[in-house]
Amino acid sequence: MRKYTVNKSLATSATAATNTMPIGIQGSATKGIQVYDLYCSFNAVVQDIQVLVGLSLCSTYVAGTAFTANPLEIGDVASSATATTTLTVGSQVLTGTPLWEQAFNTRGSIRMVVPDPDSRIILPAGANAAGSIILYNQQASTIACTLDNQIYFAE
């Protein structure tokens, strides 16, 4: 099973409370994906900010700017999954199915590691909404910050 990672930094605005979606992943028509590790950290001047980070199953496919998932082993073929950033529909977080969500203070970081391969978050093949997830961040209205987000998955 080949393993890949996607990583995006995202600056958020202080003008309103926001649901920001730095990463979306969609399985291909023939291969699903298995998420086994997720990481989120603060990338700015140290301050106390409470942030919510989560993973949500999409109720519809969310379009965005495509980017490449990086193989973790040199020489592996490119992932067949579609990774997107700068997602266009923030409401998908609210209408999708939450898979994992955790609040943390940005003086630290947060990581979700699946200890057992049978416990991975599995998205089916099919290249449709059933095989799409969004990694999202949410923060209060008075806060502007930059968050680094990373997902590791197998295919």
Side-chain angles (χ1 to χ4, degrees), residues 24-29 32-33 56-63 82 92 95-97 99 121-134:
I25 304 176
Q26 180 181 38
S28 73
I33 65 171
S56 180
L57 186 64
C58 300
S59 58
T60 59
Y61 177 67
V62 178
T82 301
Q92 292 305 319
T95 61
T97 303
L99 301 174
I121 297 172
I122 298 173
L123 300 172
N128 58 31
S132 302
I133 56 170
I134 299 172

Side-chain angles (χ1 to χ4, degrees), residues 132-153:
S132 302
I133 56 170
I134 299 172
L135 171 67
Y136 63 91
N137 308 125
Q138 188 176 42
Q139 83 286 343
S141 62
T142 58
I143 303 300
C145 61
T146 301
L147 296 165
D148 289 333
N149 298 275
Q150 188 154 6
I151 297 177
Y152 293 89
F153 66 95

Side-chain angles (χ1 to χ4, degrees), residues 13-103:
S13 169
T15 58
T18 56
N19 270 330
T20 53
M21 284 75 53
I23 302 173
I25 304 176
Q26 180 181 38
S28 73
T30 58
K31 286 185 182 178
I33 65 171
Q34 299 178 17
V35 176
Y36 64 88
D37 196 350
L38 178 147
Y39 182 77
C40 183
S41 64
F42 190 61
N43 181 2
V45 176
V46 175
Q47 53 186 315
D48 283 316
I49 300 173
Q50 280 61 51
V51 175
L52 192 64
V53 63
L55 200 60
S56 180
L57 186 64
C58 300
S59 58
T60 59
Y61 177 67
V62 178
T65 304
F67 70 102
T68 304
N70 298 312
L72 293 181
E73 188 169 319
I74 295 172
D76 270 355
V77 298
S79 171
S80 63
T82 301
T84 54
T85 189
T86 317
L87 305 176
T88 56
V89 184
S91 62
Q92 292 305 319
V93 170
L94 305 175
T95 61
T97 303
L99 301 174
W100 178 82
E101 188 173 78
Q102 186 70 45

